[in-house]
Amino acid sequence: DVKVTQSSRYLVKRTGEKVFLECVQDMDHENMFWYRQDPGLGLRLIYFSYDVKMKEKGDIPEGYSVSREKKERFSLILESASTNQTSMYLCASTPGVYSNQPQHFGDGTRLSIL
Amino acid sequence: RKEVEQDPGPFNVPEGATVAFNCTYSNSASQSFFWYRQDCRKEPKLLMSVYSSGNEDGRFTAQLNRASQYISLLIRDSKLSDSATYLCVVTNAGKSTFGDGTTLTVKP
């Protein structure tokens, strides 16, 4: 079974802080994704990566950056956290570059910015 | 117009009922289709893939109509444990687009 692990289930940070969300998958998947999910807005893609050191912007990249130094790890960075970034953040992965296989999700991180 | 549209519901049905959800998508080049289930405050989990020939998994049947660009999910003999939000997912060139979900509540 694919295991996607997110570093924190719940996180509380202050406005202006630099925030790191970590995601690790154990199935040697090439593709990794970061989403945020908000009531009434569904899942929105922030960034994704098809390979190590490679990243592509999703639909809402503003205020975020990512890092993929190793194949199994994909980090989401909030450069200067703001209250409108309070949300549920979900990491996912799939095998094979540009694969159309279903995504496997981590448990999610509920982030609150005060 | 959203790329993937679902009726948000909520659908409130009694145990044992049959319920159907529909989903439409706008990109005719879409290649793969899925239904996910998401419980409250949890991550989405794959329920089943959707094929043009239709596929069944126990009480769940999924169908794809490429010509009309819609996907359906049928749940027979609903159980209390089926209460959740069901997400329609369309994938193309490695990127997935998620519907906003349809909420189902099954009542005793």
Side-chain angles (χ1 to χ4, degrees):
Chain A
D1 242 11
V2 178
K3 184 68 176 175
V4 179
T5 303
Q6 294 185 227
S7 52
S8 305
R9 291 296 301 274
Y10 299 93
L11 205 54
V12 180
K13 296 291 182 180
R14 296 204 174 275
T15 303
E17 280 193 69
K18 191 168 186 176
V19 181
F20 293 86
L21 302 183
E22 306 287 344
C23 175
V24 176
Q25 49 89 7
D26 65 358
M27 287 300 290
D28 202 35
H29 284 180
E30 284 77 8
N31 313 304
M32 297 187 75
F33 306 83
W34 274 108
Y35 297 87
R36 63 177 284 177
Q37 186 174 32
D38 302 285
L41 296 175
L43 271 133
R44 293 181 290 168
L45 181 63
I46 304 170
Y47 267 97
F48 58 103
S49 169
Y50 290 137
D51 201 354
V52 175
K53 296 191 184 296
M54 176 272 176
K55 61 185 178 185
E56 289 193 33
K57 292 180 179 180
D59 301 318
I60 51 162
E62 296 78 19
Y64 303 94
S65 63
V66 290
S67 171
R68 194 163 181 202
E69 296 296 319
K70 294 185 178 181
K71 191 175 184 181
E72 67 270 18
R73 184 181 297 270
F74 192 34
S75 303
L76 180 69
I77 304 153
L78 284 67
E79 297 291 343
S80 177
S82 63
T83 54
N84 63 11
Q85 291 178 310
T86 291
S87 185
M88 165 81 131
Y89 288 86
L90 289 155
C91 175
S93 72
T94 56
V97 180
Y98 297 107
S99 162
N100 289 319
Q101 296 199 41
Q103 296 187 7
H104 300 271
F105 285 89
D107 291 345
T109 297
R110 289 196 170 271
L111 175 64
S112 295
I113 307 295
L114 304 179
Chain B
R1 184 188 169 194
K2 291 187 176 183
E3 286 187 54
V4 178
E5 298 210 53
Q6 293 183 247
D7 181 348
F11 284 66
N12 297 304
V13 303
E15 270 188 293
T18 295
V19 61
F21 305 139
N22 290 323
C23 167
T24 59
Y25 62 95
S26 59
N27 184 356
S28 59
S30 298
Q31 296 168 306
S32 298
F33 308 87
F34 309 99
W35 283 100
Y36 278 70
R37 171 195 169 122
Q38 186 172 23
D39 293 293
C40 188
R41 303 178 73 83
K42 296 287 186 70
E43 77 278 17
K45 292 185 178 178
L46 178 67
L47 179 66
M48 58 198 303
S49 301
V50 189
Y51 306 110
S52 297
S53 55
N55 49 302
E56 191 173 305
D57 182 2
R59 298 181 292 108
F60 298 83
T61 301
Q63 189 77 47
L64 165 65
N65 185 318
R66 282 189 182 271
S68 301
Q69 294 180 206
Y70 81 78
I71 305 153
S72 63
L73 177 68
L74 183 76
I75 306 175
R76 291 181 300 278
D77 188 22
S78 300
K79 311 290 184 193
L80 297 176
S81 56
D82 293 334
S83 297
T85 297
Y86 291 84
L87 305 173
C88 167
V89 183
V90 174
T91 299
N92 181 39
K95 279 181 63 179
S96 292
T97 303
F98 291 77
D100 290 347
T102 298
T103 300
L104 171 67
T105 301
V106 181
K107 300 188 174 180

